[in-house]
Amino acid sequence: MSTPSAPPNPDYLASLGLQRAPFLDQIDDRFFYADPMLVQRLDLLQHLIQFGDMLLGVSGPAGSGKSTLLRQLLLRGATTWRSCRLNSGQLHQPNDLLTQLADGFGLDRNATPERLKTDLLRLCQTLRHNAQIAVIVIDDAQLLPDPVLKTLLELGGNPRETLKLLRVILFSEPGLEQRLTQAGWHTPLQPLLHNLDLPCFDDHQTAAYLMYRLAVAGYSGESPFSLTEIRA
């Protein structure tokens, strides 16, 4: 049986002298563009994880780079972090959350839900005693059902006690603050959430971003994009 051949490279690769495709729809650390705005948010997130005690949110519309920023945050994570990244698409009910946390932190996933909570809290307390911290990171957090979000934030009894023991960072589309407010967890006088937004690039940032990806792919020369194309 013959094996399927790899798809041919796009014609523009040869015409621009590129070694690889610069704009594939997948995360590739080589193409991360360290725009000062993004670096500032990464630095602030690292600081808040290490020294804060609030729920952390990173919000932006679809395609704004949240998943890329999440990966960069974990790559830059301090050695004192014990990180667990969760897949929101698989968290349909509270028990799904607990078993994924068990897998992420090396606990017994077959234990009862109450035992899992106890083991997780004990782990967090041990980490804190050793100057370490448990970090839970969730992408596409807008997909979390309300019971799952409630279970996550109330692992320690209530959200504020939970956040004394561990850090939770939710990467989501806009609307997280309103959701927390409606649930009664977040108010202007007693804020629970520290949210960072990911605004869209302006024309200058977009042009620099495009040229950076082209350069990583092997291109040298003037920009092949017109101002109209950059704005589009």
Side-chain angles (χ1 to χ4, degrees), residues 126-202:
T126 300
L127 291 172
R128 298 289 283 185
H129 181 74
N130 294 323
Q132 297 178 296
I133 188 167
V135 179
I136 298 173
V137 183
I138 303 181
D139 201 5
D140 293 322
Q142 72 277 359
L143 301 178
L144 289 176
D146 288 340
V148 174
L149 182 60
K150 177 180 172 64
T151 299
L152 172 64
L153 294 179
E154 296 184 352
L155 285 171
N158 64 66
R160 299 185 192 280
E161 291 301 317
T162 298
L163 296 171
K164 290 178 182 178
L165 291 172
L166 55 86
R167 293 291 169 269
V168 178
I169 307 98
L170 303 179
F171 289 73
S172 76
E173 295 181 8
L176 177 61
E177 183 171 352
Q178 294 90 324
R179 188 175 177 186
L180 295 171
T181 299
Q182 290 172 358
W185 291 321
H186 177 84
T187 67
L189 294 179
Q190 291 187 309
L192 182 76
L193 174 71
H194 188 128
N195 190 69
L196 287 71
D197 68 317
L198 289 182
C200 296
F201 281 173
D202 59 23

Side-chain angles (χ1 to χ4, degrees), residues 102-124:
D103 292 341
F105 287 115
L107 303 173
D108 180 9
R109 73 186 330 260
N110 295 315
T112 65
E114 289 306 314
R115 178 58 185 270
L116 280 176
K117 290 182 183 179
T118 300
D119 290 348
L120 179 62
L121 293 175
R122 184 179 296 117
L123 172 65
C124 293

Side-chain angles (χ1 to χ4, degrees), residues 6-51:
N9 288 328
D11 293 339
Y12 71 84
L13 295 186
S15 63
L16 294 177
L18 302 182
Q19 300 165 2
R20 58 183 66 90
F23 301 114
L24 294 179
D25 187 20
Q26 61 189 40
I27 296 177
D28 186 331
D29 297 328
R30 294 172 297 181
F31 289 103
F32 175 67
Y33 175 56
D35 179 82
M37 174 192 69
L38 297 179
V39 173
Q40 183 268 342
R41 280 158 174 74
L42 281 172
D43 290 342
L44 181 55
L45 280 171
Q46 287 181 276
H47 176 81
L48 292 172
I49 289 171
Q50 200 68 33
F51 302 107

